[in-house]
Amino acid sequence: MRFRRLGGLVAALASAALLAGLAAPAEAIVGGTAATAIKAGEGTFEYVNPHNGYDRWATCTAHALGSDEDSETDLLITAAQCVTVMPGQPQAKSAADSARFAAFRHAAERPGPGAAAPDAARSAQEGVKSVPEDPAAFRYVYGSTNRFTGKSVGIRKWIIPKDWNWGVPDAQGRIWDIALVQLQHPIKTRGAIVAPLRPGEITELGWGHTDPRPETWTGPLGPRLHQTTVHLASRSQCAAGGIGTNEACLGVAADNGGTCKGDAGGGGVRRWGSQWVLTAIASRGIENRCGTANIYTQIWPYGRWIVHQIHDLEPHLRVEATRAGSAQADFALAG
């Protein structure tokens, strides 16, 4: 599906009506190989100011929403944990809640009480359960597998689901580790088409740590994007991380690698015709180490929520069709 905004910016994903029937964590990545190209609009968040004594301190991954190299976008998709302040240890209502929060604490780049600006907290959407980080403290770096040579743009706004609560599920068992990001201005980049997660090869990407041992996760992330290939695994393999509704378990790579601390918010991408499409974003591991199965947030089931947020930001949108191999849409839903 394709949305075109009056004034020329194409927007994407299907309308709420069309989606009504849908059901269906150094360098990066433990193991794997250096990525030679950006896939599905991947970039990374960095602190604007020095952090822990380092410049260019990266935190999480995000994907620009789009598919046309010649158009612009000002929207990203990432994990909600990347844009909200991790609370102190909450009182868990169940063993699964406790397992989820422990997994998030192991995965998060900024554990412990954060420093969200009071103005940012006051400006959060009404009813949001988690305190947002200050968007002015971050920038998005994109357009290069080496983030030190990428372009950058400031953050205007985080768009956080009201039910995101650091592992506490909603009434349907959804964890909501997903968020949209509005940039300070549109950027020209070939972004991500969103597609359902299917069995088969899935490419994990990220700038996260490459050593699986937690004692090595004290320094900054390195400059280069890495990738590895995994397959969809049984949900039972991710039970230790409290896997929820609309989450998926991705298995361990052939070289015993996978996502690690600092990879949160990134894909889960696969081939769709001649293009790479985004199916899921990294949420958390299941142990306090890397090289295990990992829990990902499936994006497709949240399509209706995403479309509603885009419509609120960009009310003048119309829907057109896009097909495999097409590079016409900016923000699109495959199929």
Side-chain angles (χ1 to χ4, degrees):
M1 300 300 172
R2 180 174 69 176
F3 294 79
R4 186 174 298 278
R5 180 171 73 197
L6 297 182
L9 174 63
V10 178
L13 293 170
S15 70
L18 290 175
L19 282 169
L22 295 181
E27 273 62 71
I29 302 285
V30 173
T33 60
T36 58
I38 296 292
K39 297 177 177 66
E42 189 160 47
T44 185
F45 293 125
E46 293 180 351
Y47 283 109
V48 172
N49 297 318
H51 185 74
N52 292 338
Y54 293 92
D55 292 326
R56 306 295 304 268
W57 186 284
T59 61
C60 277
T61 297
H63 288 262
L65 287 174
S67 64
D68 188 344
E69 290 178 329
D70 297 321
S71 66
E72 296 180 327
T73 178
D74 61 354
L75 290 177
L76 315 175
I77 192 165
T78 190
Q81 63 177 288
C82 296
V83 301
T84 53
V85 177
M86 173 171 274
Q89 178 72 52
Q91 184 174 357
K93 296 179 181 178
S94 68
D97 287 356
S98 180
R100 278 188 289 267
F101 184 77
F104 278 119
R105 180 168 290 281
H106 297 156
E109 180 63 26
R110 307 175 312 283
D119 286 346
R122 284 197 295 269
S123 65
Q125 297 160 268
E126 185 177 353
V128 170
K129 297 180 175 66
S130 295
V131 177
E133 293 278 4
D134 179 6
F138 297 84
R139 61 179 165 235
Y140 179 64
V141 180
Y142 66 98
S144 176
T145 58
N146 182 341
R147 64 183 179 88
F148 289 174
T149 63
K151 301 175 183 178
S152 66
V153 59
I155 308 300
R156 180 184 301 277
K157 184 179 182 180
W158 313 123
I159 304 165
I160 304 162
K162 65 181 181 61
D163 287 317
W164 160 245
N165 195 17
W166 286 94
V168 178
D170 69 6
Q172 285 73 47
R174 297 170 297 190
I175 306 303
W176 288 96
D177 191 13
I178 190 169
L180 294 178
V181 181
Q182 187 179 36
L183 301 174
Q184 289 285 1
H185 59 76
I187 60 175
K188 183 173 287 189
T189 186
R190 184 165 189 166
I193 292 175
V194 172
L197 183 63
R198 307 252 189 237
E201 287 193 350
I202 301 160
T203 298
E204 297 178 323
L205 296 142
W207 280 267
H209 289 288
T210 57
D211 193 312
R213 300 168 299 167
E215 60 269 23
T216 68
W217 302 341
T218 56
L221 304 183
R224 297 195 177 278
L225 178 68
H226 277 58
Q227 67 181 55
T228 193
T229 300
V230 297
H231 289 80
L232 193 62
S234 166
R235 289 175 60 85
S236 63
Q237 293 188 38
C238 287
I243 188 169
T245 304
N246 295 341
E247 294 187 316
C249 185
L250 297 194
V252 182
D255 61 3
N256 295 316
T259 53
C260 195
K261 187 181 179 76
D263 288 326
V269 304
R270 67 174 176 85
R271 283 283 189 183
W272 183 61
S274 62
Q275 297 170 294
W276 289 94
V277 295
L278 179 64
T279 65
I281 51 178
S283 178
R284 60 201 184 275
I286 59 174
E287 299 179 30
N288 189 22
R289 66 180 180 89
C290 301
T292 69
N294 288 280
I295 297 173
Y296 274 63
T297 301
Q298 298 185 63
I299 304 173
W300 186 272
Y302 292 105
R304 183 180 300 170
W305 176 83
I306 293 170
V307 168
H308 285 167
Q309 309 316 308
I310 293 176
H311 280 175
D312 285 346
L313 289 172
E314 307 288 351
H316 305 297
L317 297 177
R318 63 188 177 88
V319 181
E320 298 176 9
T322 193
R323 297 180 299 275
S326 169
Q328 302 278 325
D330 271 345
F331 314 143
L333 191 68

